[in-house]
Amino acid sequence: MATKQASQKGQKRLGSLFVNGVLILICLIWLIPTIGVFITSFRNSEDIYSSGWWTVFPHRGWVKVEEVRVPETIDVDQPFEVAGITADFATLRQGVVTPDGRKITWIGNKRSRLVIVEERKWVGFSARLTLDNYRDTLSGKEIRFRDASGNEITRKGNNLGGAFLNSIAVAVPSTIIPILIAAFAAYGFAWLNFPGRKLLFTLVVALLVVPLQIALVPILRDYTQLNLNGTYLAMWLAHTGFGLPLAVYLLFNYIGSLPRDILESAFIDGASHFTIFTRLILPLSIPALASFAIFQFLWVWNDYLVALVFLGDQNRVVTSALAAMVGEKGQDWHLLTSGAFVSMILPLTVFFALQRYFVRGLMAGSVKG
């Protein structure tokens, strides 16, 4: 008997170790790219273009030991001797590894005339961390950086800070407005008797399967006639309309599962529907409200299509600004890492602030009694 119990405990322990190992592996698979982007966001442009983010940790790599200037009198298109080897520009541009373990590489274009000699050595923690990427991303001032060829590039900053504020101006009202409207509607569908209640609720739920893309052009035409296109009000109304079906459905499940005795006691005490809604329903529905707030805020914050159609470049949001950094100025892609983390700050704050209500809101109505 004791042997059997020991065997069962061993199997449970082995199963627990296997499950924990798999979970740790999954977490690492998700975390490693994020860690890489985070480290890259603090590296200078020259390091980003020349090496991977993992090179900030101790590793065996190429270390520059010498620089050689090629005289102007030498024709670099023909084989010539430099640093003990004979090669032409095209070969040196790719890098040549010599039998004695050196690597000889031409840096930049033909006019640079610069050749570096590297040797493979152990390199300790060599991070040259800086906040320049964040300053260049958030400000609209003139910035300078070096590309992979060592060329210095000067241009105007991206002003992601302004786009961040625009996203807040769009996301916060676009989250609060549908919550208020949907809470009233969910209370009505759950506790009020009126003609056509079931039909109207069915129509609202049916809107969940309608793609929002089919409504963009008609709404855009109406906005153009009303001179709303390119305004925050246009975004608030659009996101409210697109988010209401899910909000009503989610809140209906929660509000409809509240104990009837609470409402009947309030009616006996003479409370009106508005008083019951504001004094009882809203405080008791905080988990469901928080769950939808997370969904709606993250969806609006990460939205690109609706903002592109209704807002355009007049009041550029974070997603549009990040896309512009890729499309307009692809040569400074190193700033995307810092831009990505700037755009993640507020959504992560909202999620962690409301996460304790998240599961409770999603479980609303799943258990009776």
Side-chain angles (χ1 to χ4, degrees), residues 85-102:
I85 66 169
T86 301
D88 56 10
F89 166 76
T91 304
L92 289 173
R93 191 69 176 83
Q94 299 297 324
V96 178
V97 179
T98 63
D100 58 357
R102 297 180 303 157

Side-chain angles (χ1 to χ4, degrees), residues 170-180 292-294 296-298 300:
V170 170
V172 173
S174 297
T175 302
I176 296 175
I177 295 173
I179 285 180
L180 293 177
F292 175 72
I294 292 175
Q296 181 72 359
F297 186 86
L298 294 182
V300 175

Side-chain angles (χ1 to χ4, degrees), residues 147-200:
D147 61 9
S149 300
N151 301 318
E152 185 171 322
I153 297 176
T154 303
R155 65 155 187 80
K156 186 176 177 60
N158 295 281
N159 192 22
L160 197 65
F164 188 88
L165 296 177
N166 290 337
S167 289
I168 294 177
V170 170
V172 173
S174 297
T175 302
I176 296 175
I177 295 173
I179 285 180
L180 293 177
I181 298 175
F184 279 106
Y187 175 76
F189 285 130
W191 296 108
L192 298 181
N193 291 320
F194 55 90
R197 183 183 67 169
K198 293 183 178 179
L199 177 61
L200 288 175

